Amino acid sequence: MPALDQLDQLVTKAFDGYVVRKDLAQKFKGNYAVPTYVAEFLIGKYCATTDEEEIKEGLEIVQRQLSERIVRAGEQELYKANAKVHGIVKVIDLITARLDVRSDTFLATIPSLLLNDVHINSDLVYEHERMLTGGFYAEVELAYGDPESNRPFSLERLRPIQLSKRGVLQDVARGRKEMTTQEWKDFLIRSVGIEPSSLSARAQDVLFLRMVPFVEKGYNMIELGPRGTGKSYLYQQISPYSHLVSGGKATVAKMFVNNANGQRGLVCQYDVVCFDEVSGISFDQKDGVNIMKGYMESGEFSRGRESIRAEGGIVMLGNFDVDVEHQQRIGHLFGPMPKEIRDDTAFMDRIHSYAPGWDYPKIHPDMMTEHYGLVSDFLSEAWRQLRSESRLHLISDRVFFGDALSGRDRRAVHKTVNGLLKILYPSSEMEIEDDQLEWVVRIALECRRRVKEQQKRIGSAEFRNTMFSYRLGMDGIEQYVSTPELHSDSEISPDPLPPGQVWAIGPGEANEGSGLYKIEVTVTPGSSIRLVNVRAPFGLKESLRAAEQVLYTQNKMLIGDRDPHGNEYSVQVRALSAAKGASSIGIPILLALSSAALGRSIKGGVVIAGTMSVGGTIEPVYNALDMAEMAADNGASAILLPVSSRKQLNDMSDDLASRLTVVYYKDSRDALYKVLGE
């Protein structure tokens, strides 16, 4: 047995009777053709303890029940014979049912026994309607002979493999209050069988996104990425309330409603309907995609005269045949989708989040946890009950989104935020910490923006504004959220940088040519301006000294009533090209200092060039054309240059002029005015 760590000791007390060692279920994986939650259902009954002897005894019971009740290949006739001899036999299997119109009775299917004509009482069917739309795992009692129907077998009793306990959410909330948010995150990751230390922060974000469809009604998500990363694991192994559709045709009757008998489809019977290997999915009817789009938008669909509402979310999973960078070069990130929808921007607009599956590692046995986690059916029941709750009213006056978000964008972001907050805070009475709120908001904006970026790439002008932003609090600084896969660290993004950061171009040392730099200014209590760079070149020190003097002498024109001596400004200059001299970049440093003092971002996609004397006189730039070419090559949409360099750019090529806007300034105040967009 692995040694109990501090988190194990905490959770076994906080969730007494509801936790199991997650490695125990792995002992049976592969030996029996059932999902993980089936084994955990039994383990939770007999092994929910830390006592090693009790665990050993419980495992023997679980082993016996699984071996006695799960039919292996080739044993079906033996079980049927035992039913004839003893009158009844107990099995664990995926139970489905159908209406036989000829006899006007319901017939159940037990796949492991190769039986598809087992008589079942209609009351039992209507009590568990999911057996009509895909079925569920259950413990069943199969009787031999049925005098009423003249069928050889009848299904007498069944017990679904799931927890039906009204107070489950209260028990989860009670235990959660005894844990920090980080402990709770680690515990949730262990509860789905993964050891948190095996995942990077980005991979953990993906895993939490996979949980959102279970707690948020009508949540539509897509995740594409490399093979072998366990994308479908959560939807297939953890919860009985999700249904996996693997490739092939998705019939309208199965998904929504069967017009022949009025039977509701998968979206009405399950919390999550997951399409695995989505590239191979196709609908049996031409209007199947339109019905899907309508449902994903409004949560209802019409077949015949009746309008039907449902709450099941749609999750689409698929694989890239190439890496994400190459996928973007050859097309867009919806490329692996079926041809009916891969270029349909209206369909994409219904997707609430696009999870970056490429940030999740390939599953390896070493990633599986040996520690305690919640029993899967207990966790899935808690998630199901959270679907009826909301946390948005708790943050309505704490988060404000930028103007770039459309109505659909806001709804999508709200649903992701709400889902993640419910996962983190299962009780509405818990205080939502600022850092966790910001983490949730940034994930939600990034995953919705990823959808919009693909729509823009397809060429729709209506989706061109993708600069998603937010503010925490009425007086908060506007922060912009990007999608990391679109831009490298040295590429000038069209998104505004945080206050205090600017892109700069300046001449290098002798024969170096121009260099690209990123200037970052942080503000802390104090009363000075200091350069963080160790062994800074002389030219950089001179640029900082000039910027410092101009800020102090012209502070009224630049930053208004703010006192430049009221804080300490730490300046770091990072070279992002071969040139390292960083000389003659006084204007970019001054604008970075002013941006930090004002708490405001400058325009996105702008790179700044130029310097000045300590008295504020703008000095000439002698290689403006070289700077303009470097700016365009690194993704800039505009370059800010002294007006004295205007004649140098008369020789700018038509191609360069079409890619880059040149903005001229006459003095430092004019430069700041133009980069702030005022």
Side-chain angles (χ1 to χ4, degrees):
M1 176 181 175
L4 296 183
D5 63 12
Q6 184 177 354
L7 183 56
D8 286 328
Q9 295 172 356
L10 174 61
V11 301
T12 51
K13 292 179 181 179
F15 296 98
D16 185 27
Y18 298 129
V19 292
V20 294
R21 262 181 38 212
K22 288 293 172 170
D23 60 320
L24 298 181
Q26 298 300 317
K27 294 179 183 295
F28 305 105
K29 191 172 184 180
N31 296 328
Y32 303 99
V34 293
T36 301
Y37 67 80
V38 173
E40 281 198 17
F41 176 80
L42 297 174
I43 293 171
K45 288 172 61 178
Y46 302 109
C47 306
T49 176
T50 58
D51 185 275
E52 190 63 26
E53 285 301 316
E54 291 183 21
I55 290 175
K56 185 177 179 181
E57 293 175 4
L59 284 176
E60 291 176 357
I61 297 173
V62 173
Q63 177 71 51
R64 185 167 62 251
Q65 291 203 1
L66 287 174
S67 61
E68 291 177 353
R69 299 182 180 181
I70 293 180
V71 184
R72 296 176 183 270
E75 294 181 344
Q76 56 269 18
E77 295 305 323
L78 177 62
Y79 276 77
K80 294 175 188 177
N82 287 337
K84 176 177 173 59
V85 172
H86 302 292
I88 200 164
V89 67
K90 296 180 180 180
V91 299
I92 296 175
D93 205 348
L94 178 68
I95 305 303
T96 59
R98 74 182 193 280
L99 177 64
D100 181 49
V101 293
R102 292 183 179 180
S103 62
D104 194 29
T105 59
F106 287 100
L107 299 178
T109 296
I110 303 179
S112 62
L113 296 178
L114 303 180
L115 294 175
N116 59 7
D117 59 351
V118 178
H119 178 262
I120 182 172
N121 188 281
S122 60
D123 292 339
L124 202 56
V125 174
Y126 290 123
E127 184 182 349
H128 304 283
E129 283 192 345
R130 283 194 301 131
M131 70 173 68
L132 294 168
T133 59
F136 54 87
Y137 277 89
E139 297 175 302
V140 302
E141 291 185 8
L142 184 69
Y144 181 73
D146 183 65
E148 293 184 9
S149 64
N150 294 321
R151 299 284 179 179
F153 294 97
S154 64
L155 199 154
E156 295 293 312
R157 296 182 184 86
L158 66 82
R159 181 185 180 190
I161 303 293
Q162 63 189 67
L163 187 69
S164 298
K165 184 175 182 295
R166 290 185 177 180
V168 61
L169 198 53
Q170 289 72 27
D171 291 336
V172 171
R174 191 180 306 114
R176 165 67 176 93
K177 290 178 180 178
E178 298 182 24
M179 307 170 71
T180 66
T181 300
Q182 188 57 54
E183 288 172 338
W184 176 246
K185 283 183 174 181
D186 290 344
F187 182 50
L188 282 177
I189 295 172
R190 284 182 174 179
S191 293
V192 298
I194 306 295
E195 184 56 34
S197 59
S198 68
L199 299 178
S200 65
R202 286 287 292 177
Q204 291 188 20
D205 292 349
V206 174
L207 187 55
F208 283 116
L209 277 168
R210 292 175 180 175
M211 300 177 188
V212 173
F214 293 97
V215 300
E216 186 67 16
K217 294 179 181 178
Y219 188 78
N220 308 319
M221 187 178 82
I222 182 172
E223 181 184 345
L224 303 179
R227 291 174 173 81
T229 56
K231 291 185 286 293
S232 63
Y233 174 80
L234 217 62
Y235 310 105
Q236 188 176 32
Q237 300 289 337
I238 299 300
S239 173
Y241 297 118
S242 65
H243 183 82
L244 197 69
V245 180
S246 297
K249 285 192 175 182
T251 67
V252 172
K254 184 179 180 181
M255 279 294 300
F256 300 104
V257 65
N258 188 329
N259 280 344
N261 56 22
Q263 179 59 48
R264 301 295 196 264
L266 295 174
V267 295
C268 300
Q269 299 296 330
Y270 289 90
D271 294 345
V272 185
V273 179
C274 175
F275 291 91
D276 196 15
E277 303 293 345
V278 69
S279 61
I281 296 289
S282 63
F283 276 94
D284 64 328
Q285 298 179 21
K286 291 183 178 180
D287 62 345
V289 172
N290 291 330
I291 296 172
M292 174 82 83
K293 285 195 292 189
Y295 171 72
M296 293 170 71
E297 172 68 17
S298 63
E300 64 181 11
F301 53 91
S302 297
R303 297 293 287 164
R305 298 180 179 179
E306 186 180 7
S307 180
I308 302 170
R309 291 198 63 83
E311 297 177 349
I314 303 294
V315 175
M316 297 185 174
L317 309 175
N319 301 316
F320 284 141
D321 292 324
V322 294
D323 60 43
V324 65
E325 290 80 10
H326 187 61
Q327 179 65 39
Q328 291 188 111
R329 287 195 296 270
I330 64 176
H332 55 77
L333 296 184
F334 280 86
M337 300 289 282
K339 64 178 185 295
E340 297 93 340
I341 56 179
R342 68 169 61 113
D343 295 318
D344 187 342
T345 57
F347 179 85
M348 295 177 192
D349 227 17
R350 271 77 171 168
I351 300 294
H352 298 129
S353 70
Y354 189 137
W358 48 87
D359 285 333
Y360 200 86
K362 290 183 179 294
I363 297 296
H364 188 275
D366 293 342
M367 296 170 60
M368 312 311 288
T369 188
E370 296 181 339
H371 295 275
Y372 280 85
L374 287 172
V375 180
S376 291
D377 60 328
F378 179 83
L379 177 63
S380 62
E381 185 66 25
W383 281 349
R384 182 166 223 234
Q385 293 187 20
L386 280 170
R387 292 170 69 84
S388 300
E389 299 198 1
S390 176
R391 301 289 179 268
L392 294 178
H393 64 284
L394 301 176
I395 62 166
S396 59
D397 59 346
R398 295 175 61 183
V399 180
F400 303 92
F401 296 108
D403 295 336
L405 278 78
S406 67
R408 277 188 178 143
D409 296 330
R410 291 174 187 270
R411 285 196 298 274
V413 169
H414 281 156
K415 289 181 78 67
T416 306
V417 167
N418 193 35
L420 288 170
L421 288 178
K422 285 189 285 188
I423 290 169
L424 293 186
Y425 304 98
S427 171
S428 59
E429 298 176 359
M430 296 190 70
E431 181 182 354
I432 298 173
E433 302 119 305
D434 286 342
D435 61 330
Q436 296 302 321
L437 177 59
E438 185 162 23
W439 172 74
V440 163
V441 168
R442 292 191 70 88
I443 290 178
L445 286 171
E446 176 195 323
C447 291
R448 176 59 183 179
R449 177 171 176 175
R450 187 170 288 112
V451 174
K452 297 301 288 284
E453 291 288 354
Q454 310 320 305
Q455 292 174 306
K456 183 172 72 172
R457 180 165 294 212
I458 289 172
S460 298
E462 62 183 297
F463 305 113
R464 65 182 180 277
N465 190 355
T466 60
M467 290 189 291
F468 285 7
S469 62
Y470 68 96
R471 288 183 295 113
L472 292 184
M474 291 293 293
D475 300 323
I477 296 173
E478 189 170 22
Q479 302 283 347
Y480 291 84
V481 177
S482 63
T483 54
E485 71 276 0
L486 288 180
H487 308 289
S488 67
D489 188 52
S490 61
E491 184 179 2
I492 300 168
S493 167
D495 296 324
L497 292 169
Q501 296 186 21
V502 301
W503 298 100
I505 284 183
E509 300 293 340
N511 300 321
E512 272 191 334
S514 298
L516 177 66
Y517 307 94
K518 191 174 185 181
I519 302 170
E520 301 181 9
V521 176
T522 56
V523 183
T524 55
S527 58
S528 65
I529 298 176
R530 67 185 186 91
L531 188 63
V532 175
N533 296 59
V534 179
R535 298 176 184 173
F538 177 76
L540 175 57
K541 292 179 180 178
E542 285 292 297
S543 295
L544 178 67
R545 189 168 72 89
E548 180 180 15
Q549 291 302 311
V550 172
L551 181 66
Y552 287 153
T553 58
Q554 300 183 17
N555 64 293
K556 291 291 184 181
M557 291 191 303
L558 294 170
I559 60 175
D561 295 333
R562 294 168 177 80
D563 181 7
H565 298 281
N567 292 293
E568 178 168 293
Y569 299 89
S570 300
V571 181
Q572 181 182 32
V573 179
R574 290 194 292 140
L576 301 175
S577 61
K580 309 295 182 184
S583 61
S584 301
I585 56 171
I587 288 292
I589 294 176
L590 176 62
L591 299 191
L593 290 167
S594 301
S595 169
L598 293 168
R600 296 184 56 191
S601 300
I602 68 169
K603 292 179 180 179
V606 177
V607 63
I608 303 165
T611 193
M612 68 266 171
S613 67
V614 293
T617 302
I618 302 298
E619 297 184 354
V621 169
Y622 297 106
N623 53 347
L625 185 58
D626 178 52
M627 291 181 175
E629 290 173 345
M630 170 169 266
D633 290 343
N634 285 276
S637 58
I639 185 170
L640 198 72
L641 286 165
V643 69
S644 59
S645 60
R646 180 170 54 87
K647 292 182 179 179
Q648 296 181 48
L649 297 179
N650 288 338
D651 296 329
M652 181 187 292
S653 67
D654 292 343
D655 176 66
L656 181 59
S658 67
R659 291 188 292 140
L660 188 71
T661 300
V662 181
V663 180
Y664 298 106
Y665 61 89
K666 60 183 179 181
D667 54 36
S668 57
R669 183 176 182 275
D670 186 38
L672 181 62
Y673 178 90
K674 286 173 176 173
V675 294
L676 290 177
E678 295 183 347

